[in-house]
């Protein structure tokens, strides 16, 4: 994360504190800026000296969730790291990428540079596209209402892709379950992306 990104994220957080009638003092702001700068420079030195990609530490599912999050934020013209930092400063759940806060933290986040993401984006795009014959798992959330504390819990069901249709305005596919039943999934790469996954 660049120095400018850090300052922008912290200034956005300071503005949110002011809006919530919890303004920080100038001394508090300076302390936060200094700590963030120190973490950033330490993280950059570590990344440069090791030459490793921090995304290698993620599981395949975590990496996919992060890349989808980055892509979504970029499509909204919002810096993805700033969105995460705002969530963290406001103690807001970050959804599918909450694991970064819970398991990896700020130092790991600072290690991630655009080049690291670029290494995976090309593979990500290829992995994301379905082909006839692919084995995937779909969530029962496609056909029933799932609630965290409700009577129906999320289950993953194996199936085979039998047809894929991609157009500019929509994408869909037809899947076949092991019992022969077929089901069409609309918005397979868009709003229904969270209801299917590659088999573990």
């Amino acid at each position: 994360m660049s120095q400018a990104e850090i300052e922008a994220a912290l200034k956005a957080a300071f503005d949110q504190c002011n809006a919530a009638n919890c303004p920080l003092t100038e001394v508090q702001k300076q302390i936060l800026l200094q700590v963030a700068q120190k973490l950033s420079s330490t993280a950059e030195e570590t990344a440069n000296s090791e030459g490793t990609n921090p995304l290698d530490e993620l599981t395949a599912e975590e990496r996919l969730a992060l890349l989808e999050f980055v892509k979504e934020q970029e499509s909204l013209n919002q810096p993805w790291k700033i969105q995460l930092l705002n969530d963290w400063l406001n103690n807001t759940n970050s959804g599918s990428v909450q694991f970064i806060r819970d398991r990896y933290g700020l130092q790991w986040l600072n290690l991630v540079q655009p080049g690291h993401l670029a290494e995976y984006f090309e593979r990500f795009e290829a992995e994301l596209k379905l082909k006839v014959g692919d084995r995937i798992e779909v969530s029962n959330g496609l056909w029933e209402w799932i609630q965290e504390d409700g009577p129906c819990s999320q289950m993953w069901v194996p199936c085979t892709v039998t047809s894929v249709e991609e157009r500019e305005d929509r994408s869909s596919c037809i899947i076949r379950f092991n019992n022969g039943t077929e089901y069409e999934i609309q918005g397979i790469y868009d709003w229904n992306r969270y209801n299917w996954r590659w088999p573990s």
Side-chain angles (χ1 to χ4, degrees):
M1 187 174 219
S2 72
Q3 193 57 43
E5 288 176 318
I6 291 172
E7 288 179 14
L10 287 174
K11 286 181 180 164
F14 299 158
D15 291 342
Q16 288 183 2
C17 289
N18 289 337
N21 289 328
C22 298
L24 300 176
T25 67
E26 287 304 314
V27 173
Q28 290 171 321
K29 291 177 184 178
Q30 289 306 313
I31 290 170
L32 287 171
L33 283 168
Q34 288 170 0
V35 169
Q37 289 169 353
K38 187 173 183 178
L39 285 173
S40 176
S41 61
T42 303
E44 282 180 34
E45 288 169 13
T46 304
N48 291 338
S49 66
E50 294 176 0
T52 59
N53 189 332
L55 274 67
D56 294 342
E57 298 174 36
L58 304 178
T59 66
E61 198 169 89
E62 288 173 338
R63 200 166 25 249
L64 187 62
L66 174 62
L67 293 172
E68 286 178 343
F69 177 78
V70 170
K71 209 166 180 181
E72 178 185 337
Q73 293 303 307
E74 286 177 354
S75 73
L76 299 171
N77 290 322
Q78 298 175 354
W80 68 276
K81 282 188 182 181
I82 290 176
Q83 180 60 48
L84 280 182
L85 290 172
N86 281 336
D87 288 349
W88 296 2
L89 289 169
N90 292 313
N91 202 24
T92 303
N93 189 301
S94 299
S96 64
V97 290
Q98 178 67 24
F99 68 88
I100 295 174
R101 177 182 182 183
D102 297 341
R103 292 186 43 202
Y104 298 97
L106 183 62
Q107 281 191 302
W108 181 88
L109 183 64
N110 282 332
L111 291 174
V112 180
Q113 300 300 315
H116 298 137
L117 292 169
E119 283 181 40
Y120 277 97
F121 265 120
E122 188 173 316
R123 283 186 259 173
F124 168 68
E125 290 297 332
E127 288 174 7
L128 186 60
K129 298 297 181 186
L130 292 172
K131 299 179 291 302
V132 172
D134 281 343
R135 298 284 298 160
I136 61 172
E137 295 176 344
V138 295
S139 167
N140 59 332
L142 283 169
W143 57 83
E144 59 188 5
W145 182 255
I146 307 284
Q147 294 176 311
E148 284 183 32
D149 55 350
C152 296
S153 60
Q154 186 176 39
M155 295 182 336
W156 291 94
V157 182
C159 59
T160 304
V161 176
T162 60
S163 169
V164 179
E165 181 183 349
E166 290 183 57
R167 296 192 323 212
E168 265 187 46
D169 58 337
R170 74 182 199 120
S171 60
S172 67
C173 82
I174 297 176
I175 56 171
R176 181 176 296 137
F177 296 102
N178 292 341
N179 67 4
T181 305
E182 292 191 346
Y183 187 88
E184 182 177 8
I185 306 173
Q186 298 289 329
I188 191 76
Y189 301 127
D190 305 314
W191 42 274
N192 258 328
R193 175 58 188 97
Y194 297 101
N195 285 314
W196 70 270
R197 67 184 186 189
W198 299 104
S200 312

